């Protein structure tokens, strides 16, 4: 391949990648891939990609070489076709495969943590226990459960939280898990966390999708281990929240 | 049939999301590395660079392990940068101590580790062990000739004017030089970035088929927990600038030694790094680069695990 053509393809791929990232940035969709803490870094990265694309395109060697430039490189480096194809992977995956946050399907084959370790720092312990129970997320409930010295103090506290429904075989038939993915850096480190839910009656037992659960927390003993169970009073189907993950 | 199809679609969607997660999260740091490399190639003369290097190669190895403080790059940015430094005449052993230490020994990572763990055994352990292991590994490579360790750079990654004389070089305007630096950075992206993409893809595939919960569920024990955490660091391939917060979530279930193994070995070696190394080092060097730190990390963190549990 001629170096001129190669440079043009390089520029197109980089520009495509830059515009793809800008598009995801403005659409607020980057949180599907990375922790919201690092989203801002993508903006300069996309601009740098566009600047490199622009420069590569402008610096293509001219079509006709000057008389004295017979020594100049006019051919693309070896393996350039292969390089161009491989560099298209992120763009092709990003554009062709519909954007889908990790949810019930991805959690289906994974272990769902029903306990979560929390800091041993007394200040943080106190802080998590002082959170208004009605606003705690699944992650914060599991933290509070870990932090509480007497787990029973969580009994009968009001619950109002969102998550996706998971039916698990290790739960009694009339119960299900309400779960979320927790991420620290990016979706590569996502872990699913969940709490068992006891629906008010059989009719309101959902089988999939996102739900808002309102009810009361119970600390129960299961096979000699204490665990959390939500006694639900209302189970309401909802759309997937704007921020599908919980961030730690 | 329908079920297999839907299962495959599900795997593909998860794979794509995780791959893009790893790619997007590390991209800014990789770009920082290739830009630094392009600028270094065009604006810093080999003679100027060599004049400022320590003459003693043992001292050079120690100096190299602290270079990250001046070039704040993580493990993705450091590979193109170290390759460029080699081209400018950096001794192989010094480059190796820089390569292994810089992902931790830089202001961003020091700050994020401090934010996650505070001043304590994990913070001091991470910095201390990284320095010791990077220096020891670098010293091993002082025994070899540079040509046996490092591959030569291919033509498209070099400044066009390196064969011409200094008058022509000086005749180029700042803008022209900057354009050259950006073109070289672009070439670098298509060269080393390619291996970064393959590495991210492999890491995403492993994550899709072997979720970290499966690894973590394998359990503890002073030795097994270290090996698990090292395996997790290699599989996750998370950038060192952000891994401290991730490690924090393992604190309650894993020993200090194994957390340190994750925080020290992870930034040095992971799937992406090994693939990117193939553009810089000869095969034998890559093997040593993966195994010497592995052996030292296991030894040190095992010692910490037994020491702290007594």
């Amino acid at each position: 391949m001629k170096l001129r053509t190669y440079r043009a393809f390089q520029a197109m791929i980089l520009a495509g990648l830059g515009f793809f990232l800008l598009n995801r940035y403005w659409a607020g969709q980057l949180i599907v891939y990375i922790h919201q803490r690092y989203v801002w870094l993508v903006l300069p990265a996309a601009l740098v990609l566009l600047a490199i694309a622009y420069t590569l395109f402008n610096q293509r060697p001219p079509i006709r070489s000057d008389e004295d430039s017979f020594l100049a490189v006019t051919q693309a480096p070896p393996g350039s076709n292969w390089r161009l194809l491989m560099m298209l992977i992120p763009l092709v995956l990003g554009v062709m495969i519909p954007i889908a946050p990790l949810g019930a399907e991805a959690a289906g084959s994974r272990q769902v943590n029903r306990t979560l370790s929390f800091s041993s720092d007394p200040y943080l312990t106190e802080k998590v226990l002082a959170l208004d129970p009605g606003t705690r997320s699944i992650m914060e409930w599991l933290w509070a459960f870990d932090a509480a010295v007497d787990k029973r103090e969580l009994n009968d506290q009001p619950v109002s939280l969102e998550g996706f429904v998971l039916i698990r075989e290790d739960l009694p038939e009339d119960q299900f898990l309400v779960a979320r993915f927790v991420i620290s850096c990016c979706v590569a480190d996502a872990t699913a966390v969940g709490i068992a839910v006891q629906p008010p009656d059989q009719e309101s037992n959902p089988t999939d999708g996102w739900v808002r659960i309102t009810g009361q927390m119970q600390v129960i003993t299961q096979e000699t281990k204490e665990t959390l169970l939500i006694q639900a009073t209302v189970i309401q189907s909802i759309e997937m929240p704007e921020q599908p993950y919980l961030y730690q | 049939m329908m079920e297999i199809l839907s299962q495959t679609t599900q795997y593909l969607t998860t794979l794509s999301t995780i791959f893009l997660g790893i790619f997007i999260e590390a991209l800014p740091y990789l770009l920082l590395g290739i830009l630094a490399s392009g600028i270094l190639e065009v604006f810093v003369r080999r003679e100027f660079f060599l004049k400022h290097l320590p003459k003693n190669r043992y001292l050079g190895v120690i100096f190299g392990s602290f270079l990250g403080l001046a070039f704040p790059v993580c493990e993705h940015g450091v590979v193109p940068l170290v390759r460029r430094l080699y081209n400018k005449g950096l001794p192989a052993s010094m480059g190796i101590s820089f390569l292994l230490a810089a992902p931790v020994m830089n202001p961003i990572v020091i700050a994020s580790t401090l934010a996650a763990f505070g001043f304590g055994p994990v913070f001091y352990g991470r910095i201390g062990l990284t320095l010791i292991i990077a220096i020891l590994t670098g010293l091993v490579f002082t025994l070899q000739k540079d040509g046996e360790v490092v591959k030569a750079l291919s033509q498209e990654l070099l400044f066009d004017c390196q064969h011409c004389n200094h008058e022509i070089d000086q005749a180029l305007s700042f803008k022209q030089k900057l354009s050259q630096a950006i073109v070289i950075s672009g070439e670098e992206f298509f060269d080393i970035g390619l291996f970064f993409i393959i590495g991210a893809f492999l890491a995403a595939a492993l994550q899709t088929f072997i979720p970290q919960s499966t690894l973590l569920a394998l359990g503890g024990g002073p030795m097994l927990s270290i090996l698990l955490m090292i395996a997790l660091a290699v599989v996750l391939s998370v950038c060192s600038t952000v891994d401290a917060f991730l490690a924090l979530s393992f604190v309650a279930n894993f020993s200090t030694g194994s957390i340190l193994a994750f925080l020290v070995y992870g930034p040095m070696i992971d799937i992406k790094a090994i693939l990117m190394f193939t553009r810089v080092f000869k095969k034998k060097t890559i093997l040593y680069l993966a195994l010497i730190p592995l052996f030292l990390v296991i030894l040190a963190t095992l010692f910490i695990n037994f020491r702290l549990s007594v």
Side-chain angles (χ1 to χ4, degrees):
Chain A
M1 190 190 290
K2 286 255 187 292
L3 183 59
R4 185 178 162 82
T5 323
Y6 179 58
R7 285 272 151 85
F9 277 127
Q10 282 181 308
M12 278 195 279
I13 292 174
L14 291 180
L17 205 51
F19 284 123
F20 163 72
L21 291 176
L22 280 183
N23 173 277
R24 291 284 190 262
Y25 180 86
W26 293 123
Q29 290 170 332
L30 285 171
I31 51 167
V32 169
Y33 305 114
I34 55 174
H35 193 300
Q36 54 191 3
R37 198 191 295 142
Y38 308 111
V39 163
W40 69 273
L41 280 170
V42 180
L43 186 60
L47 296 177
V48 165
L49 284 175
L50 292 178
I52 298 177
Y54 176 80
T55 314
L56 279 175
F57 193 78
N58 275 338
Q59 294 287 318
R60 284 169 304 151
I63 297 174
R64 241 184 242 176
S65 307
D66 296 327
E67 278 179 12
D68 60 349
S69 70
F70 60 93
L71 279 175
V73 182
T74 54
Q75 289 297 313
S80 46
N81 295 353
W82 166 247
R83 284 186 197 189
L84 291 173
L85 272 179
M86 294 300 285
M87 295 303 278
L88 270 173
I89 291 178
L91 198 56
V92 169
L93 285 182
V95 174
M96 303 284 282
I97 297 184
I99 188 163
L102 299 186
E105 296 81 13
S109 58
R110 291 167 187 238
Q111 184 187 321
V112 180
N113 292 336
R114 289 174 63 192
T115 54
L116 208 53
S117 311
F118 192 61
S119 169
S120 53
D121 183 337
Y123 169 74
L124 291 175
T125 309
E126 205 174 301
K127 213 169 155 187
V128 78
L129 287 172
L131 283 176
D132 175 9
T135 64
R136 277 184 198 145
S137 65
I138 298 173
M139 178 178 71
E140 286 161 345
W141 270 110
L142 296 178
W143 278 347
F145 180 69
D146 185 63
V149 182
D150 178 11
K151 315 288 183 209
R152 304 272 155 186
E153 73 180 79
L154 302 178
N155 262 338
D156 300 328
Q157 288 192 351
V159 175
S160 174
L161 49 78
E162 294 170 347
F164 52 80
V165 174
L166 274 182
I167 309 290
R168 307 296 272 203
E169 282 174 6
D170 55 344
L171 286 176
E173 250 181 50
D174 57 339
Q175 292 179 10
F176 65 91
L177 275 185
V178 58
R180 290 288 279 265
F181 272 102
V182 176
I183 73 171
S184 316
C185 306
C186 65
V187 285
D189 64 60
T191 32
V193 294
I195 302 177
V197 179
Q198 179 73 57
D201 49 66
Q202 278 304 304
E203 283 89 68
S204 54
N205 200 347
T207 52
D208 58 10
W210 283 81
V211 285
R212 163 165 284 281
I213 310 273
T214 315
Q216 285 180 323
M217 191 56 83
Q218 298 297 321
V219 176
I220 58 162
T221 308
Q222 224 172 33
E223 294 166 10
T224 70
K225 268 171 73 179
E226 285 183 313
T227 182
L228 292 174
L229 173 74
I230 303 171
Q231 282 290 349
T233 48
V234 182
I235 298 174
Q236 185 191 351
S237 278
I238 55 165
E239 289 287 307
M240 182 174 70
E242 267 182 33
Q243 295 201 338
Y245 310 127
L246 301 172
Y247 304 99
Q248 72 177 1
Chain B
M1 185 66 192
M2 283 303 282
E3 199 176 318
I4 296 173
L5 199 68
S6 108
Q7 186 88 358
T8 313
T9 315
Q10 176 50 41
Y11 273 134
L12 202 62
T13 313
T14 307
L15 178 73
S16 158
T17 308
I18 295 178
F19 165 75
L20 286 171
I22 299 176
F23 176 77
I24 296 174
E25 183 256 322
L27 183 67
Y29 306 102
L30 179 73
L31 287 174
L32 196 66
I34 63 157
L35 280 182
S37 164
I39 289 169
L40 203 66
E41 172 66 13
V42 175
F43 289 96
V44 181
R45 282 247 180 77
R46 192 183 160 91
E47 304 82 57
F48 172 85
F49 181 74
L50 287 177
K51 208 169 83 182
H52 290 84
L53 284 183
K55 298 287 172 284
N56 181 311
R57 54 197 297 165
Y58 304 110
L59 211 62
V61 169
I62 297 172
F63 181 74
S65 66
F66 284 94
L67 258 185
L69 294 172
F71 294 105
V73 281
C74 72
E75 70 261 45
H76 307 118
V78 76
V79 184
L81 191 57
V82 85
R83 178 165 75 162
R84 188 64 59 188
L85 292 172
Y86 278 147
N87 188 246
K88 294 278 171 193
L90 187 81
S93 52
M94 186 170 160
I96 280 168
S97 68
F98 170 55
L99 179 81
L100 296 180
V104 168
M105 279 306 291
N106 78 64
I108 304 170
V109 179
I110 292 175
S112 71
T113 312
L114 187 64
F117 290 95
F119 290 106
V122 174
F123 177 72
Y124 294 119
R126 184 178 204 191
I127 291 175
L129 281 183
T130 300
L131 277 177
I132 294 169
I133 291 168
I135 290 171
L136 287 178
T137 314
L139 288 176
V140 171
F141 282 93
T142 55
L143 304 171
Q144 280 196 298
K145 288 201 183 95
D146 287 4
E148 294 169 4
V149 176
V150 184
K151 279 184 180 171
L153 263 184
S154 49
Q155 187 62 38
E156 74 274 12
L157 298 169
L158 298 172
F159 185 25
D160 281 351
C161 211
Q162 83 156 4
H163 303 298
C164 56
N165 57 36
H166 287 320
E167 285 84 58
I168 298 177
D169 179 13
Q170 277 160 3
L172 287 177
S173 69
F174 175 77
K175 205 177 151 195
Q176 284 169 316
K177 279 188 169 180
L178 191 65
S179 293
Q180 275 301 315
I182 295 175
V183 168
I184 289 172
S185 299
E187 286 293 353
E188 190 107 59
F189 189 71
F190 277 79
D191 184 81
I192 226 155
L194 171 72
F195 289 83
F196 164 75
I197 285 179
I198 300 172
F201 199 81
L202 280 179
L206 275 170
Q207 261 287 292
T208 309
F209 300 109
I210 317 169
Q212 58 163 314
S213 49
T214 315
L215 267 182
L216 295 176
L218 288 175
M223 182 67 187
L224 189 61
S225 65
I226 289 171
L227 294 179
L228 275 177
M229 275 294 161
I230 288 176
L232 190 67
V234 172
V235 170
L236 283 185
S237 289
V238 172
C239 182
S240 65
T241 45
V242 293
D243 64 358
F245 293 101
L246 177 58
L248 193 62
S249 62
F250 305 134
V251 165
N253 297 326
F254 283 84
S255 58
T256 309
S258 56
I259 299 283
L260 274 172
F262 178 86
L263 288 173
V264 174
Y265 194 69
M268 292 181 178
I269 310 289
D270 61 32
I271 297 175
K272 288 197 299 299
I274 290 176
L275 281 166
M276 287 161 87
F277 287 171
T278 60
R279 299 301 295 156
V280 188
F281 299 107
K282 298 194 167 163
K283 277 186 196 139
K284 219 169 164 186
T285 314
I286 299 174
L287 192 69
Y288 287 141
L289 264 180
L291 292 183
I292 298 172
L294 177 69
F295 173 73
L296 291 173
V297 166
I298 293 176
L299 205 68
T301 51
L302 204 56
F303 175 76
I304 291 172
N305 268 356
F306 280 116
R307 220 26 225 200
L308 290 181
S309 61
V310 170

